[in-house]
């Protein structure tokens, strides 16, 4: 899509340009204003400032014919010499109903019939090599109604080569216009590499300009073509990219919030924080040579804002220092400017973005996306981002990628300046854990629905019914509430890379794996209890595990200063825990696999493994719990229907007490925790 949301006519409006002279009162202000402008241009460096004729057509009207203006500039920026030639060629300009109005001039109507050309050419020379550029724009049939142009004055001040223009920029806000239209605008440019581009804008209109604000800007149709040339000696080929777009509309454009952010306008002159209220474009089509094409039915954005409470960056002041060569060269000074700029960027935000019906077509891939949306986006993060109804097919291996939906919410990033500070600090020494955590982002939700990946390389499609991970109640950057869910995750067994693990599934006669899980973790700041209830994993035909747990005495400092997390041992308590394993056919497959290699029957090996585990229980072996565990393992490993292990003390047991018991009387630990175990109930 062409970047023309804020396009404005570039030629033919030289009488509306900044002028240092106000026209004296006369019988015909149209003529006096024109003559004053050309006199000012000649006196202020114009290399060309001439016209063929200036004819009075009414007491306040005139026609200017054959006007030509030109400026030549040459300057150096560092070691680069830059030359620029600006030319304006206006065959005819009609000034109607001109009158002096305060410190400016008013036009009832301003017309430029036919084509008016603006050219911008030159080059940059470095190490004896010149890189040229050439841009030409032509407007056709411009008409402006009820136009007021204030006279703009720029004082000479060698100490302020850039900021001296700020008063004129602010004064330009007094300009106003009811309506302006251009039937056609065309642009042509020649690129340094030999490529070229053309742009065409049809029926361009602007309405309601006043106080630095524009009610609406509209372009009915845009067509652009860019010719790319390969670099000399490369294997690339010449390629043409064509873009075409239907109606483009921008409403509620206001330059004042940007001027405030750049330190050029006081905050009390703002009329709101929206720089653009809304913008949209329809029917975008892009063709890239032989590579393929793409299309978008519509794109729209709303609420491009610049927060009024963010600190301004003195861009003009920085420009003065850059031109005068007084910018700081040390790291501290440059970093300060960088922080100032990054803080200013944080003021930018976008309420919403919506894309509908994106389609791509090429020999390699074909597909479409139904919608792409974003909400509350800024340099500080994204409130919501989603993709729906995506489907793509690849020619290679008949690949398929389908996605019903992807959603991300509440992405929060660290302050931009903190990334700069982290980089500077990391260059000097190894960053601490606290420094690393200071730039870690947080995410409230990620959700995937209806995912399918298939190709000739896969024995079966990879599917995901739903994946959801929600996190909240952050103690930066750690969430203290987490909920996770995986539903109907399916993939072929052949994708399991580990040979022995893959063999277990094959032994069960499974060609595909169906997996699901659920998890809920939460830390309660009032009770300081960390709970996991439930945590479950299930492999269809392979078994399931369900867990629940509650640990008390977890202080806030564990999240605030994780390097001090070991301090939690002094206050932590075991409140309860329960693990249940059901229908563990993978355990049977494992035992059968191991038995085949050892020459034992599966039952004999299972009993031997249970005895081996009992032998490693140490002092617990001969306790009632140890005997129960030994018996439960025998029963479960022979027939793994269900195994339940629970810890449910009458009162929370401090972790320090558990450590003491393990050191002095480990055989009493099961009784202290009220630990129980059972297997295959009812058998």
């Amino acid at each position: 899509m062409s970047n023309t949301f804020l396009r404005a006519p570039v030629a033919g409006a030289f009488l509306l340009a900044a002028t240092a002279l106000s026209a004296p009162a006369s019988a015909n202000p149209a003529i006096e204003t024109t003559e004053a402008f050309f006199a000012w241009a000649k006196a202020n460096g114009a290399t060309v400032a001439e016209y063929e004729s200036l004819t009075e057509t009414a007491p306040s009207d005139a026609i200017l014919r054959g006007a030509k203006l030109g400026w030549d500039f040459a300057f150096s920026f560092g070691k680069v010499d830059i030359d620029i030639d600006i030319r304006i060629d206006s065959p005819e300009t009609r000034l109607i109903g001109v009158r002096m109005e305060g410190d400016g001039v008013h036009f009832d109507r301003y017309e430029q019939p036919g084509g008016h050309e603006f050219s911008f050419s030159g080059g940059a020379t470095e190490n004896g090599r010149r890189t040229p550029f050439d841009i030409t724009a032509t407007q056709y049939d411009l008409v402006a109604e009820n136009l007021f142009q204030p006279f703009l004055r720029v004082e000479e001040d060698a100490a302020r080569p850039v900021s001296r223009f700020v008063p004129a920029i602010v004064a330009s806000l007094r300009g106003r216009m009811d309506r302006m239209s251009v039937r056609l605008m065309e642009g042509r440019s020649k690129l340094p590499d030999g490529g070229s581009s053309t742009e065409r804008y049809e029926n361009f209109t602007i309405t309601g300009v006043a106080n630095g604000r524009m009610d609406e800007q509209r372009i009915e149709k845009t067509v652009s073509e860019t010719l790319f040339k390969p670099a000399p000696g490369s294997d690339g080929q010449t390629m043409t990219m064509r873009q075409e777009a239907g109606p483009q509309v921008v409403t509620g454009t206001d330059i004042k919030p940007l001027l405030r952010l750049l330190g050029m306008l006081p905050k009390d002159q703002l009329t709101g924080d929206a720089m653009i209220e809304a913008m949209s474009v329809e029917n975008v089509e892009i063709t890239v040579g032989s590579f393929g094409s793409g299309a978008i039915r519509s794109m729209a954005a709303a609420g491009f804002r610049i927060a009024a409470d963010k600190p301004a960056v003195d861009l003009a002041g920085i420009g003065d220092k850059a031109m005068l060569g007084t910018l700081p060269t040390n790291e501290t000074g440059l970093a300060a400017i960088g922080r100032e700029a990054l803080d200013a960027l944080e003021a930018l935000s976008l309420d919403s973005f919506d894309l509908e019906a994106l389609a791509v077509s090429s020999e390699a891939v074909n597909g479409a996306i139904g919608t792409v949306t974003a909400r509350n986006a800024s340099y500080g993060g994204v409130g919501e981002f989603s993709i729906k109804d995506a489907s793509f097919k690849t020619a290679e291996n008949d690949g398929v990628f389908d996605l019903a939906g992807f959603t991300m919410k509440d992405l929060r990033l660290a302050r931009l300046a903190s990334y700069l500070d982290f980089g500077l600090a990391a260059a000097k020494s190894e960053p601490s854990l606290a420094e690393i955590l200071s730039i870690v982002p947080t995410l409230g939700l990620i959700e995937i629905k209806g995912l399918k990946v298939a190709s000739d390389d896969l024995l079966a499609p990879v599917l995901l019914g739903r994946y959801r991970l929600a996190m909240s109640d952050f103690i930066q950057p750690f969430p203290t509430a987490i909920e996770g869910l995986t539903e109907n995750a399916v993939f072929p067994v052949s994708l399991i890379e580990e040979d022995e693990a893959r063999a277990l599934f094959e032994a069960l006669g499974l060609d595909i794996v169906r997996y699901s899980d659920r998890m809920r973790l939460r830390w309660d700041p009032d009770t300081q209890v960390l709970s996991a209830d439930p945590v479950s994993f299930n492999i269809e035909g392979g078994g399931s595990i369900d867990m629940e747990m509650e640990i008390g005495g977890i202080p806030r400092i564990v999240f605030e200063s994780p390097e001090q997390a070991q301090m939690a041992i002094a206050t932590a308590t075991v409140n309860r825990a329960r693990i249940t394993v059901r229908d563990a056919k993978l355990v049977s497959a494992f035992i059968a696999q191991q038995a085949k290699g050892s020459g034992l029957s599966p039952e004999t090996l299972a009993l031997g493994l249970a005895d081996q585990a009992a032998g490693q229980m140490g002092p617990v072996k001969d306790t009632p719990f140890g005997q129960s565990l030994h018996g439960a393992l025998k029963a479960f490993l022979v027939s793994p229907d269900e195994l339940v292990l629970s810890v449910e003390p009458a009162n929370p047991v401090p972790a320090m007490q558990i450590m003491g018991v393990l050191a002095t009387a480990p055989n009493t630990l099961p009784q202290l925790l009220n630990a129980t175990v059972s297997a295959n109930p009812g058998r």
Side-chain angles (χ1 to χ4, degrees):
M1 186 191 77
S2 178
N3 55 344
T4 57
F5 272 128
L6 294 176
R7 184 75 60 177
V10 294
F14 57 83
L15 290 182
L16 313 182
T19 170
L21 298 174
S22 59
S26 75
N28 193 319
I31 289 180
E32 294 292 346
T33 298
T34 304
E35 292 176 341
F37 172 76
F38 277 88
W40 171 85
K42 291 178 181 179
N44 287 271
T47 53
V48 178
E50 60 189 30
Y51 54 85
E52 294 175 0
S53 65
L54 178 60
T55 305
E56 180 180 50
T57 56
S60 298
D61 303 350
I63 295 179
L64 174 70
R65 290 187 173 93
K68 298 181 183 296
L69 289 165
W71 287 267
D72 298 332
F73 301 98
F75 56 93
S76 297
F77 192 84
K79 297 182 179 180
V80 181
D81 297 326
I82 300 173
D83 61 278
I84 298 175
D85 299 330
I86 299 174
R87 295 293 184 267
I88 299 175
D89 186 355
S90 296
E92 181 177 320
T93 302
R94 301 171 183 172
L95 302 95
I96 302 169
V98 182
R99 63 179 181 272
M100 304 308 299
E101 192 174 287
D103 192 20
V105 59
H106 177 275
F107 302 82
D108 287 345
R109 192 174 177 90
Y110 181 93
E111 300 178 357
Q112 290 186 317
H116 293 244
E117 187 173 278
F118 173 93
S119 65
F120 184 81
S121 61
T125 303
E126 184 176 11
N127 297 326
R129 181 180 178 182
R130 187 173 186 269
T131 302
F133 60 86
D134 188 354
I135 302 171
T136 302
T138 306
Q139 68 177 36
Y140 297 89
D141 302 331
L142 178 147
V143 177
E145 301 171 4
N146 289 324
L147 169 66
F148 172 75
Q149 174 65 39
F151 294 120
L152 307 179
R153 296 175 175 83
V154 179
E155 302 293 338
E156 290 294 334
D157 190 341
R160 299 190 303 122
V162 176
S163 60
R164 67 191 183 95
F165 291 94
V166 171
I169 294 173
V170 174
S172 70
L173 299 178
R174 295 187 289 110
R176 61 183 184 272
M177 178 174 62
D178 285 354
R179 187 177 189 275
M180 184 189 74
S181 64
V182 177
R183 179 179 62 82
L184 175 65
M185 293 176 59
E186 293 180 328
R188 301 174 301 280
S189 62
K190 295 180 181 179
L191 307 178
D193 62 1
S196 61
S197 67
T198 62
E199 294 188 344
R200 177 184 177 92
Y201 309 95
E202 299 179 7
N203 297 322
F204 175 49
T205 59
I206 290 175
T207 58
V209 177
N211 191 26
R213 189 179 185 279
M214 182 191 309
D215 287 345
E216 181 182 272
Q217 174 183 291
R218 176 183 291 267
I219 302 173
E220 294 300 332
K221 184 178 181 179
T222 302
V223 179
S224 69
E225 288 191 0
T226 302
L227 177 67
F228 297 97
K229 290 288 189 71
S234 71
D235 296 330
Q237 59 182 356
T238 300
M239 179 181 67
T240 299
M241 180 174 70
R242 175 184 171 87
Q243 303 177 69
E244 184 170 331
Q248 301 175 56
V249 181
V250 182
T251 59
T253 302
D254 191 342
I255 195 65
K256 294 192 297 297
L258 179 60
L259 295 181
R260 197 285 311 170
L261 184 66
L262 299 180
M264 301 180 185
L265 193 71
K267 182 178 178 180
D268 59 9
Q269 293 190 30
L270 295 179
T271 53
D273 64 353
M275 186 173 173
I276 298 176
E277 291 181 356
M279 61 179 74
S280 65
V281 59
E282 299 177 5
N283 303 323
V284 179
E285 297 181 2
I286 302 174
T287 303
V288 184
S290 60
F291 290 95
S293 62
I296 299 172
R297 180 189 301 163
S298 68
M299 285 190 294
F304 178 46
R305 304 182 185 279
I306 300 180
D309 59 349
K310 293 293 184 179
V313 56
D314 184 9
L315 184 64
I318 294 174
D320 287 339
K321 294 177 181 178
M323 295 295 291
L324 296 172
T326 59
L327 279 175
T329 57
N330 62 327
E331 180 181 292
T332 301
L334 291 173
I337 294 175
R339 291 188 193 95
E340 187 178 358
L342 292 173
D343 288 344
L345 284 176
E346 291 183 341
L348 307 181
S349 66
L350 182 67
D351 289 352
S352 66
F353 170 82
D354 294 274
L355 178 150
E356 292 188 5
L358 166 67
V360 296
S361 176
S362 70
E363 293 183 1
V365 62
N366 291 273
I369 296 176
T371 62
V372 178
T373 63
R375 298 289 182 269
N376 300 323
S378 70
Y379 283 98
V382 179
E384 180 177 351
F385 174 79
S386 67
I387 300 174
K388 293 184 179 179
D389 301 324
S391 180
F392 292 90
K393 294 183 178 180
T394 62
E396 185 177 359
N397 298 321
D398 288 329
V400 174
F401 175 87
D402 292 336
L403 179 66
F406 169 84
T407 301
M408 179 181 67
K409 291 185 178 181
D410 298 329
L411 172 66
R412 295 290 175 260
L413 305 176
R415 294 286 305 274
L416 291 178
S418 65
Y419 295 103
L420 174 62
D421 293 338
F422 179 83
L424 293 174
K428 297 176 181 178
S429 62
E430 189 72 21
S432 66
L433 178 60
E435 289 172 332
I436 295 173
L437 294 178
S438 70
I439 61 170
V440 174
T442 62
L443 180 63
L445 172 72
I446 185 169
E447 186 170 38
I448 300 172
K449 293 182 179 179
L451 174 65
K452 176 182 178 181
V453 178
S455 77
D456 292 342
D457 290 340
L458 296 174
L459 298 180
V462 175
L463 306 173
L464 178 60
R466 184 187 183 198
Y467 171 80
R468 175 185 172 89
L469 178 64
M471 295 172 282
S472 60
D473 300 338
F474 288 90
I475 299 177
Q476 194 72 19
F478 301 104
T480 61
I482 303 174
E483 292 192 22
L485 174 70
T486 304
E487 293 180 345
N488 197 30
V490 181
F491 58 90
V493 169
S494 58
L495 289 182
I496 301 175
E497 295 184 356
E498 210 282 320
D499 293 340
E500 291 186 1
R502 185 173 63 253
L504 293 180
F505 287 92
E506 292 172 346
L508 293 175
L510 298 176
D511 296 323
I512 61 173
V513 178
R514 296 183 182 274
Y515 171 83
S516 62
D517 63 42
R518 182 181 297 270
M519 171 184 65
R520 183 169 63 217
L521 306 176
R522 185 174 187 275
W523 176 75
D524 189 320
D526 296 325
T527 63
Q528 295 191 341
V529 170
L530 176 64
S531 60
D533 185 11
V535 176
S536 64
F537 309 91
N538 180 69
I539 297 176
E540 187 175 307
S544 67
I545 300 176
D546 295 287
M547 297 184 290
E548 54 187 74
M549 177 185 66
E550 188 176 283
I551 298 176
I554 304 299
R556 187 181 185 89
I557 197 171
V558 169
F559 304 98
E560 292 179 332
S561 302
E563 66 274 10
Q564 302 182 50
Q566 67 273 14
M567 295 176 58
I569 297 175
T571 58
T573 63
V574 175
N575 295 2
R576 62 182 180 87
R578 185 180 181 89
I579 300 177
T580 303
V581 182
R582 294 186 178 90
D583 196 25
K585 290 184 174 62
L586 283 173
V587 173
S588 296
F590 172 76
I591 291 176
Q593 184 185 73
Q594 297 299 313
K596 185 181 298 185
S598 64
L600 301 173
S601 69
E603 181 175 350
T604 300
L605 180 59
L607 294 174
L609 291 174
D611 291 341
Q612 183 179 353
Q616 296 176 354
M617 293 180 191
V620 177
K621 175 182 178 181
D622 296 325
T623 65
F625 174 79
Q627 294 172 359
S628 295
L629 179 57
H630 188 192
L633 288 175
K634 285 183 176 180
F636 181 74
L637 293 178
V638 171
S639 180
D641 295 335
E642 183 178 86
L643 178 69
V644 180
L645 173 64
S646 67
V647 172
E648 297 185 5
N651 297 297
V653 180
M656 295 297 291
Q657 183 178 358
I658 293 174
M659 295 174 65
V661 168
L662 285 173
T664 58
N667 59 315
T668 65
L669 183 61
Q671 182 178 359
L672 175 66
L673 296 175
N674 190 24
T676 63
V677 62
S678 63
N680 304 339
R683 296 189 62 175

